[in-house]
Amino acid sequence: QVQLVESGGGLAQAGGSLRVSCAASGRTFGGYSVGWFRQSPGKEREFVAAISWSGGSIYYADSVKGRFTISRDNAENTVYLQMNSLKLEDTAVYYCAAKPGPRSGRKIDYNYWGQGTQVTVSS
């Protein structure tokens, strides 16, 4: 069992930056890929970014490519999502999720989920 806890959400102005973190505990994080997803009111949860266990394979949604950066520190069992040039439409609850094996952009592939952290972008 892997427990995931997100942190670092909050309020930012459009054009600003925030970094959210996903800390894992429980069984070893080894071999797990991690994805970030987000959900706005009335919308389905959508893929944002994913990273493989080694960090050598990374994948972004087109909507965040060039603005967001996913990274991980396996020694600290933590995955980060650095969000720059924030837009109003980035406002959402951000969730991290973990799965064994290769990274994926499909939420159905992920076994473990955090509770989410709110990110609000204001004009």
Side-chain angles (χ1 to χ4, degrees):
Q1 189 80 1
V2 176
Q3 289 83 42
L4 303 174
V5 177
E6 302 94 339
S7 62
L11 179 65
Q13 286 194 322
S17 298
L18 275 177
R19 188 177 78 163
V20 290
S21 302
C22 173
S25 61
R27 63 158 292 166
T28 176
F29 209 21
Y32 278 75
S33 295
V34 173
W36 282 99
F37 294 79
R38 66 187 181 186
Q39 189 167 18
S40 308
K43 293 188 177 181
E44 287 199 9
R45 194 170 298 188
E46 65 174 4
F47 170 74
V48 176
I51 187 167
S52 62
W53 158 246
S54 69
S57 179
I58 289 175
Y59 174 48
Y60 296 100
D62 287 343
S63 59
V64 306
K65 204 173 293 183
R67 301 188 299 120
F68 290 11
T69 302
I70 189 171
S71 62
R72 67 189 298 163
D73 182 341
N74 289 334
E76 297 294 326
N77 284 335
T78 303
V79 174
Y80 304 97
L81 184 69
Q82 177 68 41
M83 303 181 289
N84 298 330
S85 301
L86 284 163
K87 302 177 180 181
L88 297 178
E89 52 265 41
D90 294 320
T91 295
V93 176
Y94 282 72
Y95 299 90
C96 65
K99 64 177 294 294
R103 55 120 176 107
S104 169
R106 302 193 314 162
K107 52 184 181 287
I108 195 173
D109 291 336
Y110 287 83
N111 306 86
Y112 304 103
W113 290 84
Q115 293 301 305
T117 185
Q118 177 70 48
V119 171
T120 302
V121 183
S122 65
S123 59

